[in-house]
Amino acid sequence: MALAGMRGLSVFISDIRNCQNKEAERLRVDKELGNVRTRFKNEKGLSPYEKKKYVWKMLYIYMLGYDVDFGHMEAVSLISAPKYPEKQVGYIVTSCLLNENHDFLRLAINAVRNDIIGRNETFQCLALTLVGNIGGREFAESLAPDVQKLLISSSCRPLVRKKAALCLVRLYRKIPDAVNIDGWADRMAQLLDERDLGVLTSSMSLLVALVSNHYEAYWSCLPKCVKILERLVRNQDIPQEYTYYGIPSPWLQVKTMRALQYFPTIEDPNTRRSLFEVLQRILMGTDVVKNVNKNNASHAVLFEALALVMHLDAEKEMMSQCVALLGKFIAVREPNIRYLGLENMTRMLMVADVQDIIKRHQAQIITSLKDPDISIRRRALDLLYGICDVSNAKDIVEELLQYLSSADFAMREELSIKAAILAEKFAPDLSWYVDVILQLIDKAGDFVSDDIWFRVVQFVTNNEDLQVIKILCIHLINMIVYGILMEPLLYVFDQPYAAAKAREYLDKPAIHETMVKVSSYLLGEYSHLLARRPGCSPKEIFSIIHEKLPTVSTSTIPILLSTYAKILMHTQPADPELQNLIWAIFNKYESCIDVEIQQRAVEYFSLSRKGAALTDILAEMPKFPERQSALIKKAEDAEVDTADQSAIKLRTQQQQMSNALVVTDQSSTNGTPPVGQLSLVKVPSMSSSVDHHSEDSGLTQPNGTLTIADPLPPLADPQPPSADILGDLLGPLAIEGPPGPAVQSEPNVVPGIEGVAVDGAAIVPVGEQANAIQPIGNIADRFHALCLKDSGVLYEDPYIQIGIKAEWRGHHGRLVLFLGNKNTSPLVSVQAIILPPSHLKVELSLVPETIPPRAQVQCPLEVMNLRPSRDVAVLDFSYKFGTNGVNVKLRVPAVLNKFLQPITISAEEFFPQWRSLSGPPLKLQEVVRGVRPMPLVEMANLLNSYRVSVCPGLDPSPNNLVACTTFCSESTRAMLCLIRIETDPADRTQLRMTVATGDPALTFELKEFIKEQLVSIPTPTPHTPALPVSPVTQPTSASAASNDPGAMLAGLL
């Protein structure tokens, strides 16, 4: 600032600088503030020069950090001064002392507006700077139209238009609803034709702000942006003053490529080709040089180009070139360039088919893990975590474990979490996973969070492989006793040899308390599996664990007490000596000051006196319910993106809004959920990704009175869809009441369509209106295919494709719906409602209200099977495209066979189980007629496809099949199911089927399910009209019906 002639201000600044201490400075400031306050009281006697001088002093005092609570009115009044020196002071001091909520600013609005609409360019620039710096709703609502007029005015100088654009950017970012941008698409396209690079750069900043919220209105600007990049990169048609170290206007290049990232795609092939030519030039023309400023500018352009290449999903050749260029960067000596290379390589992992290319640089990335700079080490760790898969998991996890011993304390917790996650996700075998986790606990020590050993306990508890549990227990014993880890395979083949080798190491070194926790818990649960091994008796296991009791903290003692109780339970009838030792410990801690320890000691001592009943009370822990790994969630929460807010991140945030509705607890006797009882449900996120495809399960009649589901096609090779209306109506049973002869023998007559026999499953439980948009492909075929496989397309029409991907474990299912917009316009009013039957607990995550053009969103879905049933969940999905509203009811392929797990058993295991299940309702037999003729081999393949394992050789007759499977639900757990099918070689259209399980409901549901897959639905002749149709009856002879008891039973059923 120019202080010429202001002697008083110069003297005051000199006095402040000469103060010896803070107290002297405060006294001088208080004296000057008192002097200024006195002079302002007699404002009429102040000349413009004096007022300007005192306001400057106020600003200087404010910059020193002192509060200035007066003189604001004097500063605002200077804005109305006619001369530049006073007006400049007024604008500067007002910008510094006042904020957007200050009442005095209202007094300045008219003066600022007069300067904006005036003809003095200097005053216009001052006013625009004030509005941009302070902003505020009142300023935006009052002055934004005038600022917009300045921007598009052809009579204003470029300097004023540039400031107007920047001022408008600030107002729009701060208060977007106060700035009227309706119809600004054409004006923005005109501004992008500006030759002046200063105005063009400021206008590009405005375009980035506009397209970040409403890119749909600015498609006309997209080719203009590509032409700007061509002008800068290819033609280099710019003035010399806008060239920075030989780079044509790097700021404008970065802003232009940032704006292009907000557009979902580029449809025009010529524009797309021109843009890729420009990006190719940028990739080929960027290299590392010695000049730091040139490096900074060129790399800013390069990394924005890489982000645009990833956004446009370029060809694999260009992606390979990008990865190769980043590979050079992570190998240079300059740490900043290495950091940027690792960070952008991590971002490229979001692009499909790039991970294998990045893995070529795995050795260099591992080298970066040992870099002196911790920020580079963190980026290298993130990148290794991202590129890990089954092929390189062993190498990466071993490197992480090796690095763990020398890693910084600040990184060890994150490092241990990611190593544990990778070991869990990509373990080639269970023994390797156990070995890695124990090494991790041993090396990481205090930096191993409780979540890691909690996950180990959950993993071991849910694992059914007893051999692996034995190996783990032996591992733990060696760790506690000898403090070392042995190779797990040694325990499988020669455990005594491994124990002998273990004794060669140091004798009983100290181990970390976390190892004591996990060892005590698991040995308490499973040490009885090792009771026959040398050195693994209950008394010896107790001695090994009890030696660590004096060294642990109070948080670990309750775990040890539980272990002692478990060991005592496994020794029933109790060993008197061991029992007395454990009772003495319980008595010791009955008076402990810690409430948790005291309560456990008292309760365990009381329980242990119950003798054999202790076995039932302290039985083995049940399996933990399948849920998202706490380790993965913790790693996701710890992710920190150090980059600026990008277009991709903004779009992701916009897609998090949803109005998804879920039925939480619906019970209905007929399987039709009450639609009026929907409630908003907060659903947790899921780490696994599953793809769901919705399909239209209904056939709407012209009068709109009936909605009928599409049927499941036959289980053989699907035939082309026909116009057979009867075949469409007689689909397999999906919604059914309790078993009963009347229900199965009488066809369901649908009200409103006289004479049509309709299976109850074919009716979708929610009414549906006719859609103007027709689906692509046969919805029933898609649903049937997904009943046999875990991924595919569920529904597709000209505007949207809904895919599904599923993973089934026990009675839990994890699915993901993939909603893909196939057009260049957004899909709006998107809504998804799950209508589950009473036997399924279904939770659907957030579904975005809007799906952007050419975009795909993922919506996780979690299913839990409560009890056996063939009812299906229905997805009520709707959206709008333009004026077209689409609503479809789609059956979710969470069917009964998804909860089956095929097993193979021997004759010694089969026949005792078969004999123990004698007669109804646990064993049901039925003669099934109307079976689709097929060879016995084809029938066996059919059962195998539905996860029912055929066991050859169990039935002496070559015309019979014996099969078995296990059914998983929350009520039945894993229950064995036995099936026998007896066929007649002379008549393949009938058979006798016997199903036996330990649950009556499961027996009936499984029998009916298999029957549905075997029975073929007869089709009418081509001359028979589709509607009305008489009920279909199976052709049976009168003599057979009267003489064959099986035929009579089939008629009743």
Side-chain angles (χ1 to χ4, degrees):
M1 63 183 69
L3 303 179
M6 294 188 185
R7 184 172 178 276
L9 178 60
S10 301
V11 170
F12 173 63
I13 294 175
S14 178
D15 291 345
I16 291 295
R17 290 176 176 175
N18 292 331
C19 291
Q20 299 297 320
N21 50 51
K22 188 67 176 178
E23 182 65 22
E25 178 185 294
R26 188 183 61 79
L27 292 174
R28 182 67 181 90
V29 168
D30 289 343
K31 178 181 177 182
E32 192 62 36
L33 286 175
N35 181 43
V36 173
R37 189 189 299 269
T38 302
R39 299 304 300 269
F40 278 167
K41 288 181 180 179
N42 187 19
E43 185 178 358
K44 294 183 179 179
L46 288 178
S47 65
Y49 165 78
E50 290 176 323
K51 183 184 290 188
K52 178 179 65 173
K53 179 180 66 174
Y54 291 132
V55 170
W56 276 127
K57 286 184 179 180
M58 288 170 46
L59 178 61
Y60 183 70
I61 292 172
Y62 176 78
M63 293 169 61
L64 290 175
Y66 295 94
D67 293 333
V68 178
D69 55 358
F70 69 94
H72 299 163
M73 186 63 190
E74 286 74 12
V76 172
S77 65
L78 286 175
I79 294 177
S80 304
K83 295 183 180 180
Y84 173 75
E86 288 80 14
K87 189 179 288 289
Q88 178 199 28
V89 175
Y91 276 116
I92 292 176
V93 176
T94 301
S95 299
C96 294
L97 296 184
L98 306 183
N99 58 43
E100 62 183 79
N101 300 318
H102 205 287
D103 293 336
F104 283 163
L105 281 181
R106 299 175 183 173
L107 305 176
I109 290 180
N110 286 334
V112 173
R113 185 174 186 276
N114 291 333
D115 287 338
I116 289 178
I117 64 177
R119 295 185 176 275
N120 190 315
E121 296 174 352
T122 305
F123 292 175
Q124 287 177 328
C125 291
L126 288 174
L128 291 171
T129 303
L130 174 71
V131 175
N133 286 336
I134 294 183
R137 179 168 292 276
E138 292 188 6
F139 267 58
E141 294 175 348
S142 304
L143 304 177
D146 298 316
V147 176
Q148 289 174 307
K149 291 178 182 178
L150 278 183
L151 176 59
I152 62 177
S153 174
S154 58
S155 60
C156 291
R157 290 181 58 189
L159 176 64
V160 178
R161 297 177 63 199
K162 179 173 66 173
K163 285 189 174 291
L166 295 176
C167 177
L168 203 59
V169 170
R170 181 64 181 272
L171 293 178
Y172 182 75
R173 286 176 176 171
K174 203 167 189 180
I175 313 169
D177 58 319
V179 181
N180 184 13
I181 59 171
D182 295 338
W184 259 73
D186 296 336
R187 295 178 181 177
M188 284 304 307
Q190 294 174 5
L191 288 173
L192 296 183
D193 290 330
E194 180 67 39
R195 296 297 300 175
D196 186 274
L197 285 189
V199 178
L200 186 58
T201 304
S202 302
S203 301
M204 191 60 68
S205 299
L206 178 59
L207 178 63
V208 171
L210 293 175
V211 298
S212 65
N213 290 333
H214 307 286
Y215 69 87
E216 298 90 349
Y218 297 94
W219 282 100
S220 59
C221 298
L222 192 148
K224 304 273 188 179
C225 293
V226 177
K227 289 182 179 179
I228 292 173
L229 286 177
E230 287 183 317
R231 173 186 171 188
L232 296 175
V233 178
R234 188 167 64 184
N235 303 332
Q236 298 190 359
D237 179 20
I238 63 169
Q240 183 62 33
E241 60 267 23
Y242 283 96
T243 301
Y244 183 78
Y245 286 92
I247 303 172
S249 187
W251 304 276
L252 181 56
Q253 291 188 50
V254 169
K255 291 176 185 292
T256 305
M257 288 186 284
R258 179 68 58 86
L260 288 173
Q261 293 177 52
Y262 287 97
F263 295 96
T265 185
I266 300 178
E267 296 290 343
D268 183 55
N270 295 327
T271 304
R272 186 179 178 89
R273 182 173 59 255
S274 301
L275 178 59
F276 278 118
E277 289 178 0
V278 171
L279 295 176
Q280 187 73 25
R281 282 177 174 267
I282 295 175
L283 296 177
M284 295 179 61
T286 305
D287 205 351
V288 180
V289 295
K290 292 184 178 180
N291 191 296
V292 176
N293 293 328
K294 184 174 183 179
N295 269 338
N296 292 338
S298 61
H299 291 153
V301 175
L302 172 66
F303 293 133
E304 202 64 46
L306 289 174
L308 183 56
V309 169
M310 288 186 285
H311 172 71
L312 295 176
D313 200 10
E315 292 79 6
K316 189 173 183 179
E317 182 179 353
M318 181 173 284
M319 289 293 184
S320 301
Q321 185 178 354
C322 294
V323 175
L325 187 60
L326 293 175
K328 293 181 181 179
F329 286 173
I330 65 176
V332 300
R333 297 182 60 184
E334 174 61 35
N336 291 333
I337 297 176
R338 286 206 308 278
Y339 178 88
L340 292 173
L342 290 169
E343 183 181 43
N344 282 272
M345 198 174 280
T346 303
R347 292 181 178 180
M348 292 199 73
L349 289 172
M350 295 185 297
V351 181
D353 301 329
V354 176
Q355 183 174 355
D356 291 337
I357 305 175
I358 296 178
K359 284 196 295 187
R360 300 171 188 170
H361 304 276
Q362 178 175 320
Q364 185 61 45
I365 299 170
I366 292 175
T367 303
S368 300
L369 197 61
K370 303 175 178 64
D371 194 275
D373 192 331
I374 189 172
S375 59
I376 294 178
R377 296 198 297 271
R378 287 187 182 276
R379 295 282 76 80
L381 176 60
D382 292 341
L383 185 52
L384 283 175
Y385 179 76
I387 66 173
C388 186
D389 58 17
V390 178
S391 64
N392 60 358
K394 272 194 170 183
D395 296 334
I396 290 180
V397 172
E398 288 175 3
E399 286 290 341
L400 296 181
L401 290 176
Q402 183 179 356
Y403 174 62
L404 188 60
S405 303
S406 59
D408 295 90
F409 291 162
M411 285 185 61
R412 287 194 180 184
E413 182 176 3
E414 179 185 3
L415 186 60
S416 60
I417 289 175
K418 291 187 173 180
I421 293 173
L422 295 179
E424 180 180 340
K425 291 174 65 176
F426 305 113
D429 54 71
L430 302 179
S431 299
W432 181 82
Y433 169 77
V434 169
D435 190 42
V436 167
I437 293 299
L438 293 180
Q439 289 187 58
L440 188 64
I441 296 174
D442 181 44
K443 293 183 178 181
D446 295 330
F447 300 94
V448 174
S449 66
D450 287 341
D451 292 327
I452 292 179
W453 81 268
F454 290 167
R455 188 63 178 170
V456 175
V457 168
Q458 179 181 349
F459 167 80
V460 176
T461 303
N462 290 2
N463 182 47
E464 298 179 354
D465 191 342
L466 297 181
Q467 180 65 19
V468 174
I469 296 177
K470 293 179 181 179
I471 296 172
L472 174 60
C473 293
I474 297 173
H475 264 303
L476 297 175
I477 294 172
N478 280 279
M479 274 302 304
I480 295 176
V481 179
Y482 309 109
I484 60 167
L485 285 172
M486 300 300 297
E487 290 296 330
L489 291 180
L490 293 177
Y491 298 111
V492 177
F493 298 111
D494 194 355
Q495 193 273 331
Y497 170 77
K501 295 293 291 183
R503 286 172 172 79
E504 298 178 5
Y505 289 84
L506 296 176
D507 186 27
K508 299 183 182 180
I511 63 173
H512 195 268
E513 188 167 338
T514 304
M515 182 66 74
V516 176
K517 291 180 180 179
V518 66
S519 303
S520 301
Y521 182 93
L522 294 178
L523 289 175
E525 289 288 332
Y526 305 110
S527 61
H528 62 283
L529 301 176
L530 307 175
R532 296 183 180 181
R533 293 177 177 268
C536 298
S537 65
K539 186 180 297 185
E540 291 169 313
I541 294 292
F542 167 76
S543 301
I544 292 172
I545 297 175
H546 187 55
E547 288 176 356
K548 305 301 177 183
L549 181 61
T551 65
V552 298
S553 63
T554 54
S555 63
T556 308
I557 293 177
I559 302 176
L560 297 182
L561 295 180
S562 300
T563 302
Y564 298 156
K566 289 277 187 175
I567 292 175
L568 191 59
M569 179 267 292
H570 288 310
T571 58
Q572 296 298 326
D575 180 352
E577 183 180 355
L578 177 61
Q579 179 175 269
N580 292 332
L581 290 174
I582 295 178
W583 280 359
I585 297 173
F586 290 158
N587 290 329
K588 174 184 176 182
Y589 285 103
E590 282 182 348
S591 57
C592 179
I593 193 172
D594 188 279
V595 177
E596 174 72 14
I597 298 175
Q598 181 185 110
Q599 181 178 357
R600 292 205 185 197
V602 172
E603 292 178 353
Y604 287 151
F605 180 74
S606 178
L607 291 174
S608 63
R609 301 177 68 88
K610 293 183 177 294
L614 185 64
T615 304
D616 297 329
I617 299 174
L618 297 179
E620 183 178 316
M621 286 292 292
K623 291 185 178 181
F624 291 89
E626 290 294 335
R627 55 180 178 264
Q628 180 188 11
S629 172
L631 295 179
I632 296 178
K633 186 178 185 303
K634 189 170 183 178
E636 291 173 351
D637 294 341
E639 292 288 340
V640 179
D641 192 348
T642 58
D644 295 334
Q645 186 93 341
S646 65
I648 298 175
K649 290 172 62 181
L650 277 178
R651 284 202 307 275
T652 303
Q653 292 171 3
Q654 293 169 359
Q655 293 171 3
Q656 298 305 315
M657 304 303 296
S658 171
N659 286 335
L661 292 173
V662 181
V663 179
T664 55
D665 186 13
Q666 302 293 348
S667 58
S668 179
T669 56
N670 61 0
T672 305
V675 184
Q677 299 181 7
L678 300 180
S679 59
L680 281 170
V681 176
K682 181 179 179 182
V683 183
S685 61
M686 296 177 61
S687 61
S688 61
S689 59
V690 191
D691 180 21
H692 283 268
H693 289 273
S694 325
E695 79 174 77
D696 187 356
S697 59
L699 170 66
T700 304
Q701 301 299 329
N703 60 6
T705 60
L706 176 65
T707 302
I708 300 175
D710 292 318
L712 285 174
L715 287 177
D717 296 336
Q719 300 298 325
S722 64
D724 174 24
I725 189 68
L726 182 62
D728 287 337
L729 294 179
L730 294 179
L733 191 61
I735 299 175
E736 180 182 331
V743 176
Q744 298 176 41
S745 61
E746 294 294 332
N748 295 324
V749 181
V750 180
I753 302 183
E754 184 177 356
V756 181
V758 183
D759 193 348
I763 303 175
V764 175
V766 183
E768 157 184 342
Q769 297 179 354
N771 294 321
I773 308 302
Q774 295 301 318
I776 299 174
N778 188 289
I779 298 175
D781 290 346
R782 296 186 187 278
F783 175 76
H784 166 67
L786 287 171
C787 290
L788 297 175
K789 60 182 183 179
D790 292 333
S791 62
V793 176
L794 184 62
Y795 173 81
E796 185 174 9
D797 63 27
Y799 302 131
I800 194 171
Q801 184 186 74
I802 305 179
I804 205 169
K805 187 176 180 182
E807 180 183 5
W808 306 93
R809 291 186 179 180
H811 64 287
H812 290 269
R814 294 178 179 177
L815 307 92
V816 171
L817 289 173
F818 290 85
L819 311 178
N821 186 354
K822 300 164 59 177
N823 294 272
T824 57
S825 298
L827 302 179
V828 298
S829 300
V830 179
Q831 192 176 49
I833 301 175
I834 288 289
L835 305 173
S838 59
H839 77 285
L840 291 180
K841 182 179 179 181
V842 183
E843 293 181 344
L844 177 64
S845 68
L846 301 178
V847 179
E849 290 183 349
T850 301
I851 302 179
R854 300 287 187 180
Q856 185 187 75
V857 297
Q858 301 182 13
C859 305
L861 181 71
E862 188 168 354
V863 179
M864 183 168 68
N865 186 25
L866 304 179
R867 56 185 176 275
S869 176
R870 286 166 295 139
D871 297 355
V872 294
V874 175
L875 172 65
D876 187 353
F877 184 80
S878 61
Y879 70 92
K880 288 184 180 179
F881 180 83
T883 59
N884 295 322
V886 179
N887 179 258
V888 291
K889 311 294 190 302
L890 307 168
R891 290 173 292 176
V892 179
V895 290
L896 185 141
N897 64 290
K898 298 294 185 181
F899 304 104
L900 297 179
Q901 294 182 354
I903 61 171
T904 301
I905 61 178
S906 62
E908 292 77 11
E909 298 169 317
F910 177 85
F911 289 108
Q913 293 286 345
W914 182 262
R915 296 188 189 99
S916 65
L917 301 171
S918 58
L922 299 181
K923 180 185 290 186
L924 296 179
Q925 187 175 90
E926 178 179 353
V927 175
V928 182
R929 299 185 182 276
V931 176
R932 177 160 42 90
M934 66 181 78
L936 205 61
V937 175
E938 184 178 343
M939 185 179 295
N941 294 334
L942 177 63
L943 293 175
N944 286 328
S945 66
Y946 280 96
R947 305 187 181 187
V948 178
S949 178
V950 175
C951 303
L954 292 185
D955 197 300
S957 174
N959 298 319
N960 298 346
L961 288 178
V962 173
C964 57
T965 185
T966 56
F967 176 79
C968 300
S969 70
E970 190 175 54
S971 62
T972 64
R973 295 297 174 180
M975 179 165 288
L976 182 65
C977 307
L978 306 177
I979 302 104
R980 186 187 185 201
I981 297 177
E982 302 167 84
T983 66
D984 183 2
D987 186 2
R988 291 291 185 182
T989 62
Q990 64 178 355
L991 55 83
R992 183 165 63 182
M993 177 171 58
T994 308
V995 177
T997 73
D999 182 78
L1002 174 58
T1003 303
F1004 173 79
E1005 295 291 344
L1006 182 60
K1007 177 182 71 69
E1008 292 299 311
F1009 177 80
I1010 298 176
K1011 175 183 173 182
E1012 290 165 5
Q1013 317 314 319
L1014 296 176
V1015 174
S1016 62
I1017 305 299
T1019 58
T1021 61
H1023 303 289
T1024 304
L1027 287 174
V1029 180
S1030 60
V1032 177
T1033 58
Q1034 299 293 342
T1036 57
S1037 64
S1039 60
S1042 59
N1043 299 327
D1044 186 2
M1048 298 174 61
L1049 181 61
L1052 293 175
L1053 294 179

